[in-house]
Amino acid sequence: LNKNPVEGFSAGLIDDDDIYKWEVVIIGPQDTLFEGGFFKAYLTFPYDYPLRPPKMKFITEIWHPNVAKNGDVCISILHEPGEDKFGYEKPEERWLPIHTVETIMISVISMLADPNSDSPANVDAA
């Protein structure tokens, strides 16, 4: 990401001695309620990454159907791999080891622009 930055966000280690904790800053996408905003979040990777997904938590307060009131991001790409016990998500919509920080961030930016209010983490925002 440092060599080939992607428009819309920046990402890097919080501490150079811990590769499992990242800080990201998302620039609010154009033509959304978030346009012009800067939203800080943490990505915390499990030790068995890429077999399991990281957790993402906004540090900047954000009001969004797919972000819990405590900042936890709830989107399919960050859900544990395999079958959804509720039958809402297809396995291919959930975490796959091929995902990268870039694909995660593109999904989160897309989520900001197009919330899924059918499966909200924040019912009040939905």
Side-chain angles (χ1 to χ4, degrees):
L1 288 174
N2 286 336
K3 291 180 182 177
N4 300 308
V6 177
E7 191 174 322
F9 75 94
S10 65
L13 298 178
I14 294 172
D15 176 351
D16 288 340
D17 294 329
D18 187 352
I19 62 169
Y20 296 101
K21 294 183 180 173
W22 289 47
E23 179 179 272
V24 297
V25 176
I26 298 171
I27 301 165
Q30 286 185 331
D31 301 322
T32 70
L33 296 173
F34 306 101
E35 183 175 2
F38 291 88
F39 303 92
K40 186 178 182 181
Y42 292 147
L43 269 175
T44 305
F45 292 85
Y47 293 115
D48 56 354
Y49 174 83
L51 300 177
R52 292 184 47 240
K55 304 266 186 238
M56 185 170 176
K57 181 179 193 115
F58 276 99
I59 303 308
T60 304
E61 191 173 333
I62 188 166
W63 184 254
H64 190 282
N66 306 117
V67 179
K69 291 179 182 180
N70 69 356
D72 289 343
V73 174
C74 181
I75 58 172
S76 300
I77 194 175
L78 295 178
H79 291 165
E80 292 290 334
E83 294 291 326
D84 177 8
K85 63 182 177 182
F86 301 110
Y88 181 74
E89 299 168 333
K90 298 175 187 169
E92 59 271 17
E93 295 173 326
R94 297 167 70 89
W95 179 257
L96 296 170
I98 60 168
H99 289 301
T100 63
V101 172
E102 182 179 349
T103 61
I104 293 167
M105 298 312 302
I106 289 169
S107 293
V108 171
I109 291 167
S110 175
M111 172 205 77
L112 291 175
D114 187 20
N116 178 358
S117 56
D118 292 336
S119 179
N122 182 336
V123 176
D124 294 334

